[in-house]
Amino acid sequence: MSAPELQGTSLLRYLWRQLTSMRNALILLLLLGLASIPGSLFPQRTQSPLKVREYFESDPNVAKWMDRFYLFDVYGSPWFSAIYILLFVSLIGCVVPRSWHYAKESIAKPAPAPKVLTQFEYHQEFAGDIDKAEAWLRKNRFRITREKNSISAEKGYLRETGNLLFHLSLIVVLLGIGASSVFGMRGEAIVTMGERFINVPTSYDNLAPGRFFDLAKMPPFTITAANFDAKYDAQTRLPLDYRLDTKVSESPDSQPVEKIVRVNQPLTFGDTRVYLQANGYSPLVTVRDKSGEVKFEGPVPFLPQDANLSSIGAIKVPDMSPQIGFVASFLPTAARDEIRGGYSSFPELLDPRLLISVWQGDLKMDSGVPQSVYRIDTEDMERIGLKGLAIGESYSFEVGSITFNGVVPWVNLQVVKDPGKRWALFGSIFAIAGLLASLFIRQRRIYIRSNGNKIEVAGLALNRLPGLEDEIRKLVENDQK
Amino acid sequence: MTKSDWAYVSNDLIYVSLFTFAVAFFLYTFATAFAVRTNGMDRSSTIKSGRVATIFFTIGTAALILGVITRGVSAERVPWGNMYEFSITGALTFAIAYLVLGRKYDLRWLGLPISILILLILGTAITLLYRPSAPLVPALQSTWLVVHVAAAIVSGGVFLLSNTVASTYLWLDRMERKGERSEFAKRLPSLEILDQLSYRLVAFVFPLWTFAIIAGAIWAEAAWGRYWGWDPKETWAFITWILYAAYLHARVTAGWKGRKAAWLSLLAGSTYLFNYVYVNIWGTGRHTYSGL
């Protein structure tokens, strides 16, 4: 036995037929489900970069190998992309020819009734009139092919329309998602109360523009954070409400307007939206040198560590020589116990404390390596003091002093431009409409053959939904009236 | 009545409903055991106890409805804020789906497995998942909570029902392949009816599940700034969707039936359950509202 040689176009045709076969589409669908699993078990860079870093710190070798297989970037990995691209190629290869076929069929009449009807469903014979049956079918809006002694009638074409609409809509959803990642952007910025956020690239703490997003064309809005109000349940300590009062200008020359931002209530500027994502506290401090000259003054955003907003932070004073850094933690409601030492027992400012340790030496801010604003590398530094401060208190150390003046909240604003989301939404709505039509519309055929005054009738429920039996019964009853 | 009074009333009603379902369960067991023992000779008393069981089942469902409503009253919101509330509402939709379908098809035989499942769900909810009635965290304060979670709960209830039917199918199928059905099993519907019913339930609820995911995406866009972020809960909802989509294709286009189809639907249904249990309790993502 010799296998037919596959080459050139016949090979391509063979592969194409394989790819668009239902069996392989099913396998791809199941594979896509399987391939999404690892992304829910391992931390992903796009969602929890810190957890990914923990993997690298605790076991660098394993983490390196996991990274080679894109286990921290599953949904952007080549293998995941390969599966869904193949799936969509298969889908297009299946749906487009079918749409063409369907377009022709939707204006054609059903094929004439077959010679023998006994193999179809609900077959029966009765004494009646074929013209009366045809009239009944026409009245019930069947599409009819009449030959002298036979009728072939079909109804429920919209089911196939729905089926195609569903699959074509999925392509629209995918295009929408693609458009967002290419033409959109997202970025985050921490804004302390009283500060103004101007929408230019340098205002962001991190910014991820899409490949074709033009940084020069960001909408020129400004947001002044006026007041942030967080309410918490006194017993469960869970948040009840976050509310940010802002003054917003659409452009540099327009009048500022007062607006409220909440978690489910973002600000909207065209297709750019601004979300309230996180919040924390910025202690206000003044650092002076020995002569009393102010070397640093202002709010310093601290990073919350738990639900009670125990926060850590770093106050860096590079203008002193040698340089001074304060490794600090902030407790909005200070409490103390044997195990945890100092901790916060409530997220609101009931008894705020700033705990600092003073370090002297090189802050390494000019080393070129990007540094966390919340941490200080104290390897080449020496600790020269330690103190806990309440609001209004000062602490003097060898070469200067620090005063804890108060606390202001900060919010993390997330700015998102998502131009494809409208398409994804329209696609989804049409997909559901198509799905409903394809699952609930009965597509069925009724065949009738007359033989003298005997009539034979049978049907075919194309998508196996019940109801055809009833319909045929009504047809027969009407004919016998 | 104060909020906490309502919360107590709700708790009492849930206990009453648990107790009533337990009675229904014993009656169903009795009806089943008796049906087997009498070898099909005298069925009047088993049929009677089956009917009484269904009456108790209905009373249990009514108590559960009131329990869920009063829970909502006590919290001044829809009662779907944590796993306890989701579980009692899920058990309720499951019970209602059974009662509604039971009027259309003869499903009295399903009473036994279904009352076991409801007892398990309610028992777990009361013992392990219970949390005092409390307001919602800001991310949940949205009208979409009603839409998204209602769709997800109803989908879950119907998926579970479809899986119960599919499991029964597999059990009977195995029995028939080994020989004859047992006396009890003879009273159950034919394999073909079970196969169809399990499929019809999925076909009915799949668009609703699709809608639940889309409503969730619209909500996520408003609350979290992205409509899809591969959060573990989203990922598993997607996997459930993919598997049921594969199931529908396999049945409608590739002509799968019976055993193969039943296994695929069980696999798909188990991803829903996994999503609910694993992601809520041990998962990381943003959907961790269990309060545990």
Side-chain angles (χ1 to χ4, degrees):
Chain A
M1 203 177 118
S2 69
E5 223 168 288
L6 290 170
Q7 48 180 298
T9 51
S10 67
L11 175 66
L12 281 177
R13 197 171 300 162
Y14 169 77
L15 286 177
W16 177 251
R17 218 176 298 134
Q18 282 297 307
L19 186 61
T20 55
S21 78
M22 194 64 228
R23 193 173 134 259
N24 287 325
L26 267 178
I27 291 174
L28 283 171
L29 203 54
L30 292 175
L31 266 180
L32 185 64
L34 198 65
S36 351
I37 295 177
S40 75
L41 304 178
F42 306 116
Q44 300 294 295
R45 280 215 174 79
T46 46
Q47 295 147 12
S48 32
L50 292 177
K51 290 228 172 78
V52 175
R53 203 159 70 191
E54 275 170 28
Y55 265 72
F56 274 93
E57 276 160 10
S58 68
D59 199 338
N61 262 326
V62 173
K64 209 167 74 190
W65 273 100
M66 287 172 68
D67 205 25
R68 274 188 196 151
F69 291 102
Y70 295 89
L71 289 177
F72 302 120
D73 302 285
V74 167
Y75 307 106
S77 68
W79 48 270
F80 190 79
S81 314
I83 295 173
Y84 78 76
I85 289 171
L86 278 175
L87 185 65
F88 268 88
V89 171
S90 156
L91 194 155
I92 292 168
C94 200
V95 170
V96 171
R98 221 165 129 177
S99 305
W100 177 239
H101 179 74
Y102 171 71
K104 282 195 291 186
E105 204 172 65
S106 65
I107 44 172
K109 300 209 150 168
K115 287 265 173 306
V116 185
L117 299 184
T118 43
Q119 82 267 29
F120 293 101
E121 295 161 283
Y122 317 117
H123 177 266
Q124 52 186 295
E125 279 185 328
F126 61 96
D129 179 5
I130 191 168
D131 294 325
K132 218 168 161 189
E134 187 185 348
W136 187 87
L137 287 167
R138 285 206 189 280
K139 199 180 82 195
N140 284 286
R141 287 190 288 168
F142 275 78
R143 194 175 290 178
I144 288 169
T145 298
R146 172 78 199 256
E147 287 178 329
K148 190 164 176 292
N149 288 327
S150 72
I151 297 173
S152 166
E154 187 166 342
K155 195 177 169 182
Y157 284 84
L158 268 179
R159 176 187 82 105
E160 185 62 13
T161 318
N163 189 8
L164 293 172
L165 179 66
F166 171 72
H167 288 96
L168 292 172
S169 303
L170 290 186
I171 299 174
V172 175
V173 173
L174 188 74
L175 289 178
I177 294 173
S180 295
S181 73
V182 175
F183 298 108
M185 64 76 81
R186 55 182 58 232
E188 285 177 297
I190 284 183
V191 182
T192 299
M193 288 315 106
E195 281 179 1
R196 192 157 64 128
F197 172 82
I198 304 165
N199 190 31
V200 289
T202 47
S203 300
Y204 286 89
D205 296 320
N206 68 65
L207 178 61
R211 194 166 299 160
F212 297 119
F213 178 80
D214 188 353
L215 285 175
K217 284 192 185 154
M218 292 169 82
F221 60 80
T222 58
I223 301 168
T224 307
N227 184 43
F228 180 73
D229 205 9
K231 286 199 185 71
Y232 299 89
D233 189 293
Q235 273 164 3
T236 62
R237 284 173 244 134
L238 286 172
L240 295 174
D241 186 33
Y242 295 127
R243 169 195 158 125
L244 173 68
D245 297 314
T246 60
K247 288 203 179 73
V248 173
S249 317
E250 299 259 352
S251 65
D253 349 294
S254 65
Q255 277 297 315
V257 183
E258 285 186 11
K259 284 197 174 153
I260 295 169
V261 191
R262 285 198 162 93
V263 176
N264 273 295
Q265 196 182 318
L267 292 172
T268 305
F269 303 92
D271 54 6
T272 304
R273 295 184 105 182
V274 182
Y275 299 87
L276 177 61
Q277 283 300 15
N279 59 287
Y281 291 111
S282 300
L284 287 164
V285 294
T286 308
V287 180
R288 293 185 175 83
D289 67 9
K290 236 186 156 82
S291 67
E293 190 187 338
V294 174
K295 289 291 181 182
F296 177 88
E297 183 157 44
V300 186
F302 274 40
L303 192 65
Q305 302 294 299
D306 58 29
N308 287 327
L309 297 183
S310 302
S311 309
I312 57 158
I315 303 159
K316 301 180 184 182
V317 192
D319 288 352
M320 287 173 78
S321 141
Q323 294 180 323
I324 293 286
F326 302 87
V327 176
S329 53
F330 172 73
L331 311 172
T333 300
R336 171 168 286 280
D337 70 18
E338 300 277 306
I339 307 151
R340 284 178 285 183
Y343 68 98
S344 171
S345 61
F346 198 69
E348 282 176 39
L349 296 168
L350 300 182
D351 183 14
R353 286 295 157 85
L354 183 65
L355 314 177
I356 48 169
S357 60
V358 192
W359 294 77
Q360 191 177 39
D362 182 6
L363 287 168
K364 292 186 214 142
M365 289 173 81
D366 309 317
S367 64
V369 184
Q371 281 199 331
S372 166
V373 292
Y374 306 109
R375 286 186 173 81
I376 293 176
D377 178 4
T378 54
E379 203 178 311
D380 297 327
M381 302 183 84
E382 181 198 358
R383 193 165 77 181
I384 55 171
L386 192 64
K387 184 72 179 171
L389 298 173
I391 289 179
E393 289 181 347
S394 290
Y395 169 58
S396 298
F397 44 94
E398 268 171 57
V399 292
S401 71
I402 179 167
T403 309
F404 178 29
N405 303 312
V407 190
V408 283
W410 57 257
V411 292
N412 188 16
L413 294 181
Q414 188 181 31
V415 182
V416 181
K417 180 182 155 124
D418 201 336
K421 87 184 158 198
R422 209 164 296 138
W423 293 100
L425 180 61
F426 287 146
S428 314
I429 291 170
F430 284 118
I432 288 201
L435 199 54
L436 288 172
S438 78
L439 287 171
F440 294 121
I441 290 180
R442 294 187 295 128
Q443 193 171 11
R444 68 276 195 196
R445 278 194 202 131
I446 293 179
Y447 297 125
I448 296 175
R449 237 170 216 298
S450 74
N451 192 357
N453 58 354
K454 272 217 161 252
I455 287 194
E456 229 183 315
V457 60
L460 180 61
L462 290 163
N463 54 335
R464 318 224 131 271
L465 285 179
L468 182 60
E469 190 175 9
D470 248 18
E471 214 160 23
I472 290 182
R473 191 175 45 75
K474 278 185 196 144
L475 170 83
V476 174
E477 272 171 14
N478 178 69
D479 216 283
Q480 286 173 330
K481 253 191 258 171
Chain B
M1 284 198 352
T2 67
K3 284 191 218 173
S4 66
D5 288 341
W6 282 111
Y8 283 122
V9 171
S10 167
N11 290 353
D12 290 346
L13 282 165
I14 300 290
Y15 278 106
V16 168
S17 122
L18 182 75
F19 175 74
T20 322
F21 277 117
V23 174
F25 161 69
F26 281 117
L27 286 168
Y28 280 125
T29 315
F30 176 75
T32 310
F34 212 65
V36 176
R37 184 119 14 104
T38 52
N39 223 5
M41 302 276 277
D42 170 30
R43 281 180 178 165
S44 61
S45 59
T46 69
I47 289 173
K48 206 176 277 170
S49 60
R51 279 197 194 127
V52 178
T54 305
I55 292 173
F56 271 91
F57 191 99
T58 315
I59 297 172
T61 309
L64 195 51
I65 292 179
L66 295 175
V68 169
I69 292 176
T70 44
R71 175 77 179 189
V73 172
S74 76
E76 298 177 317
R77 58 175 167 77
V78 284
W80 306 325
N82 55 39
M83 262 183 104
Y84 169 74
E85 294 170 359
F86 197 97
S87 292
I88 58 175
T89 317
L92 177 62
T93 58
F94 187 50
I96 291 178
Y98 164 68
L99 287 175
V100 169
L101 280 173
R103 296 190 73 86
K104 210 173 155 191
Y105 305 85
D106 180 21
L107 293 181
R108 219 169 305 147
W109 53 274
L110 256 179
L112 181 59
I114 286 185
S115 50
I116 294 177
L117 281 169
I118 289 184
L119 284 176
L120 277 176
I121 299 173
L122 286 182
T124 326
I126 291 171
T127 51
L128 299 176
L129 305 174
Y130 182 77
R131 284 293 166 276
S133 191
L136 294 172
V137 298
L140 290 183
Q141 294 165 11
S142 163
T143 348
W144 286 106
L145 174 70
V146 184
V147 181
H148 167 62
V149 183
I153 293 180
V154 174
S155 305
V158 179
F159 282 145
L160 188 58
L161 192 59
S162 158
N163 272 350
T164 317
V165 176
S167 310
T168 315
Y169 175 94
L170 287 170
W171 174 57
L172 290 177
D173 176 60
R174 211 169 135 226
M175 201 186 282
E176 285 189 7
R177 271 186 295 142
K178 277 187 182 164
E180 217 187 330
R181 283 196 186 190
S182 69
E183 277 309 314
F184 167 65
K186 274 185 188 157
R187 298 176 58 199
L188 305 184
S190 71
L191 287 180
E192 201 174 325
I193 290 179
L194 294 175
D195 185 47
Q196 271 295 316
L197 181 61
S198 163
Y199 162 67
R200 295 281 308 284
L201 287 167
V202 173
F204 163 76
V205 87
F206 184 72
L208 186 66
W209 179 238
T210 313
F211 174 75
I213 294 176
I214 293 170
I218 296 173
W219 184 8
E221 194 277 329
W224 299 331
R226 86 286 185 293
Y227 53 87
W228 193 265
W230 295 109
D231 181 84
K233 178 134 284 183
E234 294 168 358
T235 304
W236 282 94
F238 174 73
I239 293 171
T240 306
W241 189 85
I242 286 275
L243 287 178
Y244 273 119
Y247 170 81
L248 290 176
H249 279 100
R251 280 203 81 115
V252 178
T253 320
W256 282 29
K257 272 180 95 168
R259 212 177 312 152
K260 268 205 303 191
W263 280 115
L264 184 54
S265 81
L266 281 187
L267 180 69
S270 58
T271 60
Y272 185 101
L273 206 63
F274 179 82
N275 197 357
Y276 184 50
V277 176
Y278 172 82
V279 176
N280 276 11
I281 300 179
W282 294 285
T284 43
R286 289 168 173 264
H287 275 89
T288 41
Y289 298 120
S290 66
L292 300 176

